[in-house]
Amino acid sequence: MRDAYHEELDSLTDKLVEMTRLVRSAISRATTALLDADLQLAENVISRDEEVNRIFAEIETNIFELMARQQPVAIDLRMVITALRMGTDLERMGDLAVHVAKVARLRHPDSAIPADMRANILEMGQIAENLVTKAGSCVAERDVETALELEQDDDAMDKLHRRLFRKILAKDWAHGVEPAIDITLIGRYYERYADHSVRIAHDVVYLVTGSRPG
């Protein structure tokens, strides 16, 4: 009975790691769709978000059943609580990738990103991928040391986010209102995606140590 119980707890971790892989792929493909004005790829990101939602629904169901049947305590209770929180963050990250893809779809056949902004957006996409990759490793290995590093990685995303605003608000901005709105939204999507990755890392620290980073 107890072996089966702990197999169910391990299954929660496996599902969370799979979600990190899916949302990493989603943000990668959404960034490419955005920069290349690739309508088919954007539609693929949007349609495949159902897979992320399905796994999160399984996690929720498993957690509620475990709580009802096993009444977990101590570290097992922390595990189910953090699994639910992480799953919620990952589901939201999938939604944010969809939002990026929808901007690409909206502006097709044109690119939503002016040429002089492409490098900034590409770098934000790369940082987002790096963050969720590290978060997935932290979840799988319960790696507190790496989890604590994500704050610094998120600082790089915040700097890029601020740089976007400086460019949009500069006197020599020549792209008009619509691109300014698109880029403001896109920057916010990447910034929030990074924040959710950090929240997952903080949950790993809480799971292992019983306290959250200060």
Side-chain angles (χ1 to χ4, degrees):
M1 176 76 75
R2 297 300 296 176
D3 287 343
Y5 168 53
H6 285 98
E7 284 177 7
E8 290 181 87
L9 291 176
D10 290 341
S11 176
L12 290 176
T13 298
D14 293 342
K15 286 182 169 67
L16 290 168
V17 172
E18 179 62 18
M19 285 184 77
T20 66
R21 294 184 184 126
L22 290 171
V23 300
R24 178 188 183 278
S25 175
I27 200 65
S28 175
R29 288 178 291 118
T31 302
T32 300
L34 185 67
L35 295 175
D36 294 351
D38 189 327
L39 179 61
Q40 182 175 355
L41 190 57
E43 295 286 9
N44 179 264
V45 173
I46 294 164
S47 64
R48 288 190 62 185
D49 188 51
E50 285 301 318
E51 190 171 358
V52 175
N53 296 339
R54 177 186 60 78
I55 295 175
F56 180 50
E58 290 177 1
I59 289 172
E60 284 188 309
T61 299
N62 292 348
I63 286 173
F64 295 146
E65 290 178 351
L66 280 169
M67 293 289 284
R69 288 188 287 103
Q70 303 291 348
Q71 297 181 340
V73 296
I75 193 169
D76 290 347
L77 180 59
R78 290 209 302 270
M79 177 62 208
V80 296
I81 290 171
T82 55
L84 185 58
R85 288 171 54 91
M86 291 176 192
T88 300
D89 283 316
L90 287 162
E91 191 271 338
R92 182 57 183 149
M93 289 163 75
D95 289 344
L96 290 164
V98 167
H99 293 335
V100 173
K102 285 183 175 179
V103 175
R105 182 176 68 179
L106 178 65
R107 301 306 174 200
H108 183 268
D110 298 321
S111 173
I113 308 301
D116 59 341
M117 305 290 287
R118 290 175 62 85
N120 203 121
I121 296 299
L122 176 61
E123 191 172 355
M124 292 181 88
Q126 290 170 341
I127 291 172
E129 288 184 56
N130 181 57
L131 280 164
V132 73
T133 298
K134 280 190 174 181
S137 177
C138 292
V139 173
E141 305 296 332
R142 299 191 180 183
D143 184 346
V144 171
E145 183 176 350
T146 301
L148 294 172
E149 293 174 3
L150 264 71
E151 290 277 6
Q152 293 180 345
D153 296 330
D154 183 50
D155 288 343
M157 180 69 87
D158 291 338
K159 288 178 182 178
L160 288 169
H161 192 214
R162 290 193 294 270
R163 186 189 301 170
L164 282 183
F165 279 107
R166 287 197 299 270
K167 290 183 177 181
I168 292 168
L169 296 173
K171 291 181 179 180
D172 60 351
W173 176 258
H175 304 295
V177 173
E178 190 173 87
I181 293 171
D182 287 343
I183 291 167
T184 298
L185 290 172
I186 290 163
R188 180 60 173 164
Y189 298 151
Y190 283 111
E191 190 264 342
R192 289 299 299 147
Y193 187 101
D195 286 347
H196 284 292
S197 296
V198 173
R199 282 165 55 100
I200 291 167
H202 286 178
D203 279 335
V204 171
V205 175
Y206 171 69
L207 173 61
V208 175
T209 68
S211 61
R212 297 189 179 279

